[in-house]
Amino acid sequence: VGWYNVRAFGALGNGSASDETAVNNAVTAMVNANCFNSSTGKGCKLYFPPGLYVDGAITLNMSGAAHVIGAGSVVVQGAGRGATTLYGKASTPIIKVLGQQGITISDMSFGPASGGTAIYVSNSTDDNGTNPDNFNSLVQRIFVNGGAYGLRARRTTLLRLSDSEFIAQATGPVYIENIRNEDSGAFLMDNVII
């Protein structure tokens, strides 16, 4: 598994300087290394060491690429709730996942700005819901304070949420729309405080 530490790409995590470009450079490096390609047989981890990362707007959009599933999945991981915090922009998701299978987001806190969302996931490769693809992902051990939504998911096939807490969302802590039941779609939630 390839590790992509956002600090190696210039992220400071100091709570004041924008880390958006550095973090997206790490994601680009993952794409260039075929981390999302199941034929390479490897997955990758986008790692956030302890810190306060600001101006988050991370998009993982596979746009028809071969997808990683199972052991070769992609992981976005922090150093733990309270140790790693990502802050976002107004009306923008901090992490947006489009059309990616087998992704795990874990061990971090989120502070979405007004109107923003901590995590947005869709099994489509665009925001319009076209080009649907199966989706099998896990969000675990996260804490979200503020924003419009904590977790927003649309057109998902299987999404698991566990060991997480959501407080002070203006619209809703967890918002699920259009679960795809033609593929035995499900949203599973356990040990979640909302």
Side-chain angles (χ1 to χ4, degrees):
V1 174
W3 277 70
Y4 292 80
N5 186 324
V6 296
R7 295 266 175 103
F9 292 86
L12 299 176
N14 63 10
S16 59
S18 175
D19 296 301
E20 181 177 6
T21 299
V23 171
N24 282 299
N25 284 343
V27 171
T28 298
M30 292 170 71
V31 171
N32 291 340
N34 289 318
C35 292
F36 301 102
N37 189 333
S38 60
S39 65
T40 64
K42 67 176 179 178
C44 292
K45 182 174 287 190
L46 179 63
Y47 179 67
F48 290 83
L52 305 174
Y53 299 89
V54 299
D55 291 337
I58 305 159
T59 299
L60 304 175
N61 187 348
M62 299 304 91
S63 300
H67 298 298
V68 175
I69 55 175
S73 65
V74 174
V75 176
V76 179
Q77 181 179 345
R81 287 173 44 172
T84 300
T85 302
L86 278 62
Y87 289 100
K89 298 176 180 180
S91 303
T92 303
I94 297 173
I95 297 179
K96 181 192 286 186
V97 182
L98 300 174
Q100 173 63 36
Q101 289 186 35
I103 193 163
T104 297
I105 300 170
S106 70
D107 301 302
M108 60 182 64
S109 298
F110 294 89
S114 177
T117 299
I119 301 169
Y120 173 85
V121 293
S122 174
N123 70 341
S124 302
T125 54
D126 59 39
D127 284 322
N128 298 318
T130 57
N131 304 317
D133 202 343
N134 289 331
F135 197 90
N136 180 8
S137 295
L138 172 64
V139 176
Q140 64 183 1
R141 296 184 303 274
I142 67 165
F143 174 77
V144 181
N145 185 2
Y149 300 102
L151 170 67
R152 184 173 182 192
R154 65 190 301 254
R155 292 185 164 87
T156 59
T157 300
L158 176 59
L159 177 63
R160 293 171 290 162
L161 173 63
S162 68
D163 303 314
S164 299
E165 184 176 356
F166 299 84
I167 62 170
Q169 284 75 47
T171 306
V174 177
Y175 182 76
I176 308 297
E177 61 179 308
N178 298 332
I179 293 288
R180 291 182 46 174
N181 57 16
E182 68 267 19
D183 297 317
S184 300
F187 173 69
L188 309 172
M189 186 167 66
D190 69 278
N191 198 26
V192 175
I193 300 170
I194 49 177

